Amino acid sequence: MNTITIMSTVEGTPNVTYTEGEVLRYIDKAKGIDELNELLNKQVQTIRDLKNKVRDFFSEGEWNDGETNVNKGDVNMLLESIGCNKLTTRYNATYTITGTFSVDVEDENDVESIFTDNVSVDFYDGDIDVDQIEVNDIEEDN
């Protein structure tokens, strides 16, 4: 087993001996710390760049009494340039869903209530309200 001994030059401090495995682990750990420091330096530069972009964006505005106006399109361009999600806008719309359905019932008068009590409308990414459900043109299926 190979060892390395570090001789102390300070009186009262003992010499230290390391095995080859301990030295190799220390070297690997030091390499990992170097990689982390490199990543940290890149992150610091990225943050500095982001701060400069935001500062530049606001310094381009016309300021009156400590206030400026910016429009949403310009803000979205800034956000996109720094890797952020753009601002969103909520829109409202009306909709019509037209279709047909078949159901087995004992009485024609049950057709509408079976449908209106059991139909649902799902919307994947927003709010939806169903104001009215109508069943039209009930006909016997031949």
Side-chain angles (χ1 to χ4, degrees), residues 35-52:
E35 291 170 3
L36 286 174
N37 282 331
E38 187 177 319
L39 178 61
L40 177 62
N41 289 333
K42 286 179 183 178
Q43 295 299 322
V44 166
Q45 183 59 46
T46 298
I47 291 170
R48 187 176 298 124
D49 292 344
L50 294 174
K51 286 179 177 180
N52 288 336

Side-chain angles (χ1 to χ4, degrees), residues 1-138:
M1 167 171 35
N2 295 326
T3 61
I4 296 175
T5 300
I6 299 175
M7 307 297 272
S8 175
T9 58
V10 177
E11 190 175 317
T13 303
N15 297 335
V16 180
T17 302
Y18 294 101
T19 66
E20 182 179 8
E22 290 172 323
V23 171
L24 291 174
R25 281 193 301 278
Y26 176 77
I27 290 170
D28 285 342
K29 188 176 265 189
K31 286 178 184 176
I33 290 171
D34 289 343
E35 291 170 3
L36 286 174
N37 282 331
E38 187 177 319
L39 178 61
L40 177 62
N41 289 333
K42 286 179 183 178
Q43 295 299 322
V44 166
Q45 183 59 46
T46 298
I47 291 170
R48 187 176 298 124
D49 292 344
L50 294 174
K51 286 179 177 180
N52 288 336
K53 283 184 179 185
V54 171
R55 186 205 56 215
D56 292 347
F57 174 82
F58 285 103
S59 68
E60 293 172 2
E62 292 183 29
W63 291 84
N64 275 330
D65 296 325
E67 294 183 359
T68 189
N69 291 319
V70 295
N71 68 51
K72 189 175 186 178
D74 291 341
V75 171
N76 277 338
M77 285 184 0
L78 168 67
L79 292 172
E80 188 173 33
S81 75
I82 62 174
C84 292
N85 293 334
K86 295 190 226 177
L87 300 174
T88 60
T89 302
R90 179 166 292 274
Y91 293 94
N92 293 315
T94 59
Y95 58 91
T96 301
I97 298 173
T98 303
T100 59
F101 71 98
S102 298
V103 62
D104 294 325
V105 294
E106 292 178 3
D107 188 335
E108 181 178 329
N109 294 329
D110 294 335
V111 172
E112 184 171 358
S113 64
I114 287 175
F115 181 78
T116 57
D117 292 345
N118 293 295
V119 71
S120 67
V121 179
D122 295 320
F123 192 61
Y124 74 97
D125 192 21
D127 301 323
I128 190 164
D129 292 313
V130 177
D131 297 323
Q132 180 180 352
I133 298 174
E134 291 182 14
V135 175
N136 302 306
D137 304 324
I138 299 172

